[in-house]
Amino acid sequence: MNEENGKNNKSFEYETNNLIRSTLNEKESVKDLENIAPKPSNQLTNGLLGWYSVSSSESIKEGKLNHFTIYNEPLVLYRDREGIVKCVKDVCPHRGASFLGGEVINGQLVCPYHGARFSSQGSCTNLDRITCQHIIDSNYDNYAKSIKLFQYPCVEKEGYIYIYYTGTPLANIEDFQIKSSINSLLPDSYGFPSLEYEYEEVYVDFKADWARIIENHLDILHVFWMHGDTIPDKNVSRETITSFNQKIKRDNRQIESIYSYKTNGQEEFIRIKFVPPGRIFIYKGSPESTRYIQVLDHIPLGNNKARVIVRHYRKFLKNKLFTNLVLFSHLQRRTFYKIFSEDYLVLKTQTFNDQMGYIQKDNVKLLGEDKMVQYYWDWLQNALNKEKPWDIHPTNSLTNSVHDDRGMQYPPENPNMAIKNNRKIIIKLLTRLLFPISFILLLI
Ligand code: FES
Ligand SMILES: [Fe+2]
């Protein structure tokens, strides 16, 4: 299972059906869906409810529960007996316990309270546990038979886990029909040959507003100051102030902002794509010729709590031997970790002022002068007005921290990853030095 995921993760060949691992696709063929899928129109129609990339495939291990929240609603991810990922509301349908401390046994979710086990479809498979003979009420038996887990549609594709979040989990997930609009909103492939790239990812949780984090990632201004000394590019440095031509492209799936050089209008500096509700691609240069890409997935965990899955891709030479010899992937990771930390610092500044109440709508000039950001806020405002996602599970700020221990991955793990990476570099360099030295010693 994991090996297969690993493969998918590095794979770029996307065929609509066979990389999607889900029970959802059994009933309808992709061909039918394509026939009824809406034609693109020149506007973003995606609402905030939609496909969220909530995790990498690798981090959802068999036999383990993974707790998180979306819009304050506590959820659990796990793999069933077939290794298919399930997304379940973290409320046991028996007596409302959380699955915190529960187990996955033979791919069945087991509640820690009375030990009810649930099949992949969501029904209880050990009714005797919860309908013991001492229970006199004969209706209890019927009640127990009818309990079902509440689930969200969930698919696994190219190393990501997506859930289709609607704010209303389904008791009978097998009845769920893929509607054309839902299918057409599932984010498609990366759009670049990821096998050719060195790759690293981190999960970072912030106590900050989800929408502000997305805005921060759409902002190219900070690249020069914050990453100027880290990114090896002559046009990106603290000393350079460059201005670019900006071209915006929009369709019903995404907003794209293309920044090209003023001197040579054909040459792209950076391209940023925003795919609602929460995915951003940042290409250094044009997508066809780029050697560096970031993929950022944003998940609205709750009020002022957001998770970002940051993925960096960097292309080097195809010659693996040479790439290994110069320790390219380790050295590249050093840069990745540095950029992770820099972006983390930026977002911490947002968090701090947000929590202190310093950021008020009127006294902070948001990046509205950048058309990309303007379109993003327009989309967000429309989507919020239409969907009102925060009204679905309003949670009191005093009580909604109950999940943080299990759900939040805060602070981020990248400082540890950087230390481990540095250790590997030292060990590799030492072994490379030791080999010729011992050879010389043997000769003496
Ligand atoms: S509350 Fe879950 S088994 Fe009773
Ligand atoms: Fe007890």
Side-chain angles (χ1 to χ4, degrees), residues 128-309:
D128 48 342
R129 273 267 149 214
I130 53 173
T131 54
C132 304
Q133 280 177 357
H134 66 273
I135 293 175
I136 307 154
D137 180 357
S138 55
N139 274 334
Y140 190 79
D141 205 38
N142 288 334
Y143 158 71
K145 280 182 190 140
S146 71
I147 65 169
K148 280 248 179 182
L149 289 175
F150 300 102
Q151 301 190 54
Y152 284 100
C154 188
V155 298
E156 183 170 8
K157 195 178 109 176
E158 295 187 314
Y160 284 96
I161 312 292
Y162 296 91
I163 71 157
Y164 190 77
Y165 190 78
T166 59
T168 316
L170 299 155
N172 291 311
I173 193 88
E174 68 270 32
D175 292 342
F176 180 76
Q177 299 280 318
I178 300 183
K179 296 195 181 76
S180 59
S181 58
I182 292 176
N183 188 61
S184 70
L185 295 181
L186 182 63
D188 44 32
S189 65
Y190 300 146
F192 61 91
S194 54
L195 262 181
E196 294 173 11
Y197 288 74
E198 289 301 328
Y199 150 84
E200 187 59 285
E201 77 174 19
V202 284
Y203 284 43
V204 191
D205 289 355
F206 294 100
K207 298 209 168 172
D209 178 55
W210 181 67
R212 291 299 302 280
I213 294 184
I214 294 180
E215 191 212 52
N216 272 260
H217 284 141
L218 294 175
D219 155 34
I220 70 155
L221 271 183
H222 82 288
V223 168
F224 303 92
W225 182 256
M226 182 50 85
H227 307 306
D229 294 340
T230 312
I231 296 178
D233 184 315
K234 65 177 178 1
N235 292 308
V236 181
S237 88
R238 284 196 158 197
E239 314 320 321
T240 319
I241 307 281
T242 322
S243 75
F244 301 95
N245 290 323
Q246 184 182 27
K247 192 171 145 205
I248 301 275
K249 282 205 219 159
R250 284 194 303 162
D251 60 31
N252 72 332
R253 296 284 303 265
Q254 62 190 28
I255 318 173
E256 227 174 327
S257 179
I258 303 157
Y259 301 89
S260 49
Y261 292 98
K262 285 205 160 153
T263 42
N264 175 3
Q266 300 306 315
E267 205 189 330
E268 284 186 32
F269 169 62
I270 273 182
R271 187 182 292 217
I272 301 180
K273 276 189 201 179
F274 172 59
V275 185
R279 172 168 281 193
I280 293 176
F281 290 93
I282 301 176
Y283 304 85
K284 176 75 188 70
S286 74
E288 297 75 41
S289 61
T290 187
R291 304 184 76 82
Y292 176 75
I293 301 165
Q294 268 189 42
V295 183
L296 302 138
D297 278 298
H298 301 79
I299 304 139
L301 298 176
N303 298 333
N304 273 331
K305 281 188 285 187
R307 170 167 302 164
V308 188
I309 305 176

Side-chain angles (χ1 to χ4, degrees), residues 323-331 333 420-436:
T323 305
N324 281 340
L325 206 64
V326 297
L327 296 178
F328 174 72
S329 87
H330 297 293
L331 293 175
R333 279 189 170 76
K420 277 190 203 148
N421 188 52
N422 285 343
R423 250 187 239 141
K424 276 189 200 151
I425 294 176
I426 293 169
I427 290 168
K428 291 216 166 183
L429 284 174
L430 280 178
T431 43
R432 272 167 209 195
L433 272 176
L434 277 178
F435 184 72

Side-chain angles (χ1 to χ4, degrees), residues 48-49 71 382-393:
L48 273 182
L49 307 183
Y71 297 114
N382 283 336
L384 285 174
N385 287 342
K386 205 169 87 195
E387 310 284 1
K388 303 196 174 17
W390 297 104
D391 292 356
I392 302 172
H393 304 287

Side-chain angles (χ1 to χ4, degrees), residues 364-408:
V364 173
K365 182 151 172 50
L366 299 177
L367 288 162
E369 66 274 18
D370 181 325
K371 279 192 235 110
M372 174 66 163
V373 178
Q374 190 67 61
Y375 280 125
Y376 160 68
W377 283 117
D378 286 352
W379 164 80
L380 183 75
Q381 207 48 57
N382 283 336
L384 285 174
N385 287 342
K386 205 169 87 195
E387 310 284 1
K388 303 196 174 17
W390 297 104
D391 292 356
I392 302 172
H393 304 287
T395 319
N396 170 328
S397 61
L398 292 175
T399 57
N400 73 0
S401 59
V402 70
H403 248 255
D404 287 5
D405 288 352
R406 296 295 285 268
M408 294 284 278

Side-chain angles (χ1 to χ4, degrees), residues 92 94-97 111 113-116 130:
C92 176
H94 177 227
R95 292 266 168 131
C111 176
Y113 192 178
H114 307 96
I130 53 173

